[in-house]
Amino acid sequence: MTGPAVATGRWDVVVVGGGVAGLLVAWEAAAAGRRTLLLEAGSRLGGAVTAHRVGGLAVDAGADSYALTRPAVTLLIADLALDDAVVAPNPVGAWVRHRAGAAPLPANGLLGIPSRPWTADVRRVIGLAGAARASLDRVLPAGTAMGPRATLGSAVRGRLGSRVLERLVRPVAGGVYSADPSTLEMDTVTPGLRAAVAGTGSLSAGAGRIRGAAGRSGSAVAGLHGGMNTLTDALTRAATAAGAELRTGAAVRAVRRDAAGWVVDLGSTTIAAAAVVLAVPGGTADGLLAGLVPDEARAGVAAASTPVRLATLVVRAPELHRAPRGTGVLVAPGVTGVRAKALTHATAKWSWLAERAGSGVHVLRLSYGRDEGQCSAGSGGPDLPDPADLPALALADAADLLGVPLRPGQVLDTAVVTWESVLPAPRVGQRAAVARLRAALAALGPEHPLAVTGTFVAGTGLAATVADARETARRLLDPTPAVDAPGPAADQVDTRPAG
């Protein structure tokens, strides 16, 4: 019995994983003159930044926007000559649905943290008592609730009170991370916030400093005409034009070291490489790294990830033209009668999509899946509906959240997609765990580097992913430390309504 065939030639760089992070590293490596191969196990590239067709429309099946609070994606778009395709969402903003009612999300929030707790739009959500409690944040010592093991939830509760946590931060964090904010490591999900609190003296002022002078909540993002999936198309074209070879349907089983560098094992064949970059989900990376770095260096890096199920509805409903809930609704845990954690009114959010859909036709996207700490059913697992129950459940939820009757006869088409591992929820210790892993990888030596990138080390959101991938590529191509290189955690997560 013979062993697997060895592919002819030797690659300078092999990238495992064809999401945005992997495509970006492959492009930069090829553009630098390195013989580059990208291997993607699935049938298509882009990861969660991809499209599907619903009702004759090509719409985003995953991420539909990117955060403007940091420049990483903006700079990438410029490098790809996509500047003219950048579009702003409808400035009416999104709403929040909590146990006591529904209201527009306040302006200038950061992951739901209000920068000015006493403004009318904040009081409308948390009430006078909640605003009074939140105002204590300005007089508390800067270190209160900001210890080294602070979570997003503990910091908010300790400084701003339970109403801000339950009615603002929980629904926003649920939409972005599908996670309970009381489990999320603050320094990972809100990088720079600790320093901003130390500099301003309060959590609300620190959030305002990071958020900047953006408008209504949801307006600190942008998108691309045609959807964020066009970013994947542009990266694919750029990487191919630079000389990278991109292969789909190529599942990597193992990575081994040999005297000449690395051997990437696909089962039926092996590929020799001078350098390897793993741009895959945390669980996959953990398996490939077993035996290459000490177990203690891998511990805690592959953060838990709650599966998310998205139901997209295309409906003929002229009554939705007035966008009764703005660009969408975030739903707080514990709201009865609704299982969705978020709804995006996509045709209200993006004018280009409304034009393509035509008069009276609307695209609604509902997101399902909370971690066990937020499950209203108390089942001890993700609150994820069976696909067979969708889209009927989604239609009922949409009617409830939008306050507009919607009948099955109005539905023109539907689509359901499940994302298993695109929203890692960084627990306390995640940032230190990533640092340990990267130190262990660096100890393997610079001659034949092995690197990791992607959401499991960068954090959720395109801004964080792109920043980390570019820094990974820079270190791969020039291992000399850069004095002013930004860290991968410098980018803020995307607070889009649909998670």
Side-chain angles (χ1 to χ4, degrees):
M1 184 175 180
T2 60
V6 177
T8 58
R10 183 171 181 268
W11 298 88
D12 297 325
V13 178
V14 170
V15 180
V16 183
V20 166
L23 285 169
L24 182 47
V25 172
W27 173 37
E28 298 215 354
R34 309 296 173 88
R35 188 166 183 256
T36 302
L37 171 66
L38 180 145
L39 303 170
E40 164 56 39
S43 60
R44 59 186 180 184
L45 301 170
V49 187
T50 187
H52 58 174
R53 295 196 70 82
V54 192
L57 299 168
V59 296
D60 286 316
D64 74 339
S65 59
Y66 63 93
L68 295 173
T69 47
R70 303 296 297 186
V73 182
T74 300
L75 293 174
L76 174 60
I77 285 172
D79 290 342
L80 291 169
L82 294 176
D83 306 70
D84 291 343
V86 174
V87 291
N90 185 336
V92 297
W95 282 52
V96 62
R97 171 80 170 269
H98 52 83
R99 293 184 183 183
L105 274 171
N108 300 313
L110 176 71
L111 274 177
I113 301 171
S115 59
R116 295 188 294 272
W118 202 252
T119 58
D121 56 355
V122 176
R123 295 200 312 271
R124 180 174 174 180
V125 178
I126 65 175
L128 289 174
R133 169 60 184 89
S135 296
L136 293 178
D137 173 47
R138 301 283 178 152
V139 298
L140 289 172
T144 300
M146 299 294 291
R149 294 186 62 81
T151 65
L152 176 64
S154 67
V156 171
R157 186 185 295 277
R159 299 199 64 90
L160 295 167
S162 60
R163 283 204 177 182
V164 171
L165 176 62
E166 300 299 333
R167 297 187 182 186
L168 290 172
V169 176
R170 279 197 195 280
V172 175
V176 176
Y177 291 100
S178 294
D180 185 334
S182 297
T183 68
L184 296 173
E185 183 177 60
M186 186 184 67
D187 291 333
T188 297
V189 300
T190 52
L193 183 57
R194 184 184 298 277
V197 172
T200 62
S202 74
L203 183 60
S204 55
R209 172 178 288 186
I210 292 176
R211 174 66 188 261
R216 294 191 60 85
S217 192
S219 62
V221 300
L224 293 173
H225 192 279
M228 288 306 300
N229 61 86
T230 60
L231 180 68
T232 292
D233 298 336
L235 275 171
T236 300
R237 290 192 299 270
T240 302
E245 182 174 329
L246 313 178
R247 299 181 190 172
T248 56
V252 173
R253 295 188 176 185
V255 177
R256 303 189 301 272
R257 197 164 192 182
D258 68 5
W262 298 100
V263 176
V264 180
D265 186 353
L266 283 76
S268 60
T269 187
T270 60
I271 296 170
V276 173
V277 178
L278 303 180
V280 291
T284 304
D286 185 61
L288 294 174
L289 290 171
L292 298 176
V293 295
D295 290 348
E296 57 268 24
R298 294 169 24 238
V301 177
S305 183
T306 302
V308 173
R309 189 157 286 152
L310 300 178
T312 299
L313 311 176
V314 178
V315 298
R316 186 173 300 281
E319 57 270 34
L320 292 180
H321 181 68
R322 60 185 180 88
R325 294 295 183 265
T327 58
V329 185
L330 291 164
V331 184
V335 171
T336 58
V338 175
R339 286 188 67 183
K341 68 186 181 74
L343 175 149
T344 296
H345 188 169
T347 39
K349 186 174 183 179
W350 306 112
S351 60
W352 65 265
L353 183 57
E355 292 171 3
R356 290 186 182 181
S359 178
V361 176
H362 292 266
V363 178
L364 309 174
R365 187 170 77 165
L366 292 96
S367 177
Y368 296 85
R370 299 187 193 270
D371 72 357
E372 60 184 37
Q374 291 187 308
C375 284
S376 59
S379 61
D383 187 19
L384 209 61
D386 189 298
D389 295 332
L390 296 170
L393 174 61
L395 184 66
D397 283 352
D400 191 316
L401 292 172
L402 296 171
V404 174
L406 295 171
R407 301 177 304 280
Q410 294 176 270
V411 178
L412 303 178
D413 198 8
T414 64
V416 176
V417 61
T418 302
W419 298 108
E420 295 287 350
S421 56
V422 299
L423 292 177
R427 290 353 190 207
V428 173
Q430 170 74 4
R431 199 172 191 181
V434 170
R436 285 195 304 271
L437 174 60
R438 284 184 157 153
L441 292 173
L444 297 176
E447 185 177 359
H448 298 297
L450 174 62
V452 291
T453 189
T455 57
F456 86 101
V457 290
T460 299
L462 277 174
T465 299
V466 168
D468 188 84
R470 295 205 107 158
E471 179 63 8
T472 299
R474 186 199 66 75
R475 290 175 178 170
L476 180 74
L477 301 171
D478 180 12
T480 304
V483 175
D484 296 320
D491 280 88
Q492 185 54 50
V493 298
D494 181 346
T495 56
R496 58 190 180 272

